[in-house]
């Protein structure tokens, strides 16, 4: 039997990586094989009407001679009632759009694989309705979508974007760890003050990143759809930045603790604080120094807003998609 020509159109970055891992998909029932082609191209802009994305995907299928096409996007999709969508299928036009963040944050690759196989099988067998959509539950689905957006931001990749701040914080922490004037202050800190210092230092760095990188998204208009998009974008950006800065904080704490164990003489420290010093005191010292170095060294270094930090914001990546679509449209007009 002749194979079915399937097109996967994926947003750049993570959706494209996922799509390229799906080229070996095949039907489970042993029917016509699938000839899968992957195209990396932004086909959605903003949380727009999903019908616009369906139309663009249909144009791709027509130009490339595909029998059916599935779009993989990292953007949240919604219907006219404001519900967030997992998938929208137009069986008559043989087009489907899948919102990857709506799959949730965990097991993204395996869930995407299962969803795409189900979509392709359904359209190939014409078992779906003319228009079929799967909406997320209003409350639980929003948290699921947000977790998927945060993991799509890959917060662990934020660390390279904070390299100068991290180096400055490490230097500040090293000096503070061996400074005898810091020891009495650290030993006097209660646990709740240390917790407040940790939260405050991380919040300061996150706030500065948002301001310095202009990462805060503002609604395009006063419509509920636009406001909801901005809320989702900003929430995912803040959580992503907090996770990324927390990773840096944890690394800074480990380095400070190791330095304290190797450099600080417990007897000398005991004389400075006028009290016996044990292992717990070194943990407290490293904790206090990590908070102080994160706030002081990080903010004082002038945080750079490079691509790693821009990637933490959905609004910035969305702007990149808009720019690429505009360039592609201009090239098409010129040709």
């Amino acid at each position: 039997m002749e194979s079915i020509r399937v097109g996967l159109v994926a947003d750049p970055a993570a959706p494209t990586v996922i799509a390229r891992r799906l080229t070996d998909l095949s039907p489970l029932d042993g029917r016509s094989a699938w000839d899968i082609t992957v195209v990396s191209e932004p086909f959605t802009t903003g949380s727009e009407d999903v019908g616009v994305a369906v139309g663009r995907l249909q144009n791709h299928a027509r130009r490339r001679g595909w029998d059916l096409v599935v779009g993989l996007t990292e953007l949240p999709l919604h219907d006219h009632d404001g519900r967030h969508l997992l998938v929208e299928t137009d069986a008559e036009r043989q087009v489907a759009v899948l919102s990857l963040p709506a799959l949730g944050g965990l097991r993204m690759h395996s869930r995407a694989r299962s969803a795409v196989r189900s979509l392709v099988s359904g359209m190939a067998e014409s078992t779906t309705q003319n228009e079929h959509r799967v909406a997320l539950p209003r409350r639980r689905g929003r948290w699921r979508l947000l977790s998927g957006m945060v993991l799509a931001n890959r917060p662990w990749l934020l660390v390279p974007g904070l390299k100068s701040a991290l180096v400055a914080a490490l230097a500040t922490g090293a000096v503070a760890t061996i400074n005898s004037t810091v020891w009495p202050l650290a030993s006097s800190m209660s646990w709740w003050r240390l917790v407040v210092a940790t939260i405050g230092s991380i919040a300061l760095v996150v706030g500065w990143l948002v301001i310095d990188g202009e990462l805060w998204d503002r609604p395009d208009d006063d419509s509920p759809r636009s406001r909801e998009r901005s809320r989702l974008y900003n929430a995912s950006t803040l959580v992503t930045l907090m996770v990324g800065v927390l990773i840096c904080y944890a690394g800074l704490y480990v380095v400070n603790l190791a330095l304290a164990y190797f450099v600080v003489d417990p007897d000398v420290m005991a004389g400075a604080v006028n009290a016996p010093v044990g292992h717990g005191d070194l943990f407290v010292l490293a904790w206090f120094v990590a908070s102080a170095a994160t706030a002081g060294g990080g903010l004082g270094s002038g945080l750079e807003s490079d691509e790693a930090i821009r990637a933490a914001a959905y609004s910035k990546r969305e702007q990149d998609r808009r720019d690429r679509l505009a360039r592609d449209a201009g090239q098409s007009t010129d040709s």
Side-chain angles (χ1 to χ4, degrees):
M1 298 179 63
E2 186 178 355
S3 61
I4 298 176
R5 292 163 296 181
V6 179
L8 297 182
V9 181
D11 280 337
T16 296
V17 173
I18 293 176
R20 287 172 177 164
R21 295 183 180 181
L22 304 180
T23 55
D24 62 338
L25 274 178
S26 59
L28 296 177
D29 54 12
R31 297 190 180 184
S32 299
W34 298 340
D35 180 13
I36 299 178
T37 303
V38 175
V39 173
S40 178
E41 181 177 307
F43 63 95
T44 55
T45 56
S47 295
E48 62 187 355
D49 189 336
V50 72
V52 177
V54 169
R56 291 175 181 156
L57 292 174
Q58 186 183 25
N59 291 336
H60 269 290
R62 187 182 301 111
R63 293 196 309 266
R64 300 175 185 272
W66 295 333
D67 297 310
L68 52 91
V69 58
V70 178
L72 306 181
T73 180
E74 65 174 357
L75 294 181
L77 301 174
H78 63 267
D79 59 15
H80 292 291
D81 296 327
R83 298 178 303 172
H84 296 295
L85 298 178
L86 170 63
V87 64
E88 171 87 3
T89 304
D90 190 324
E92 181 179 358
R93 293 191 283 181
Q94 298 288 275
V95 175
V97 184
L98 175 65
S99 176
L100 293 176
L103 293 171
L106 301 176
R107 299 173 52 240
M108 178 72 75
H109 290 275
S110 61
R111 288 180 176 179
R113 190 177 188 86
S114 176
V116 171
R117 174 180 275 121
S118 177
L119 288 171
V120 174
S121 297
M123 289 190 292
E125 299 169 10
S126 299
T127 59
T128 61
Q129 300 175 359
N130 187 30
E131 289 188 1
H132 178 70
R133 63 182 49 165
V134 178
L136 299 177
R138 289 193 179 273
R139 292 187 178 180
R140 184 165 53 86
R142 194 174 190 275
W143 290 108
R144 175 179 172 180
L145 179 62
L146 180 60
S147 66
M149 292 174 70
V150 170
L151 282 185
N153 286 341
R154 296 177 291 180
W156 52 91
L157 298 182
L158 183 67
V159 177
L162 298 173
K163 54 184 178 294
S164 68
L166 190 56
V167 169
L170 286 170
T172 303
V175 173
T177 299
I178 62 177
N179 191 335
S180 60
T181 60
V182 175
W183 299 342
L185 182 59
S187 63
S188 68
M189 296 285 287
S190 58
W191 69 268
W192 68 267
R193 288 184 176 180
L194 289 169
V195 171
V196 171
T198 298
I199 297 174
S201 62
I202 293 175
L204 280 173
V205 175
V206 170
W208 178 242
L209 280 173
V210 172
I211 295 172
D212 185 55
E214 299 179 351
L215 303 182
W216 196 255
D217 184 74
R218 292 177 174 80
D220 296 331
D221 50 53
D222 292 332
S223 65
R225 178 183 302 181
S226 183
R227 291 197 299 269
E228 173 65 13
R229 182 191 67 179
S230 291
R231 284 194 292 267
L232 273 175
Y233 281 9
N234 291 329
S236 65
T237 296
L238 289 176
V239 175
T240 301
L241 292 176
M242 283 190 290
V243 173
V245 174
L246 186 60
I247 293 173
C248 294
Y249 183 96
L252 183 61
Y253 175 83
V254 171
V255 172
N256 289 334
L257 182 61
L259 182 64
Y261 266 94
F262 280 101
V263 175
V264 177
D265 188 329
D267 294 332
V268 175
M269 184 175 177
V273 301
N274 296 318
V277 173
H279 293 293
D281 296 283
L282 295 181
F283 278 97
V284 171
L285 174 62
W287 189 356
F288 173 75
V289 168
S291 298
T294 297
L299 294 178
S301 65
L303 302 175
E304 65 269 58
S305 297
D306 64 359
E307 292 304 317
I309 295 177
R310 285 175 57 87
Y314 258 75
S315 59
K316 296 300 182 182
R317 294 210 303 280
E318 172 59 17
Q319 185 60 50
D320 293 340
R321 278 186 287 268
R322 290 178 184 270
D323 293 342
R324 180 170 172 177
L325 280 172
R327 288 196 303 269
D328 293 344
Q331 293 173 358
S332 299
T333 302
D334 294 339
S335 60

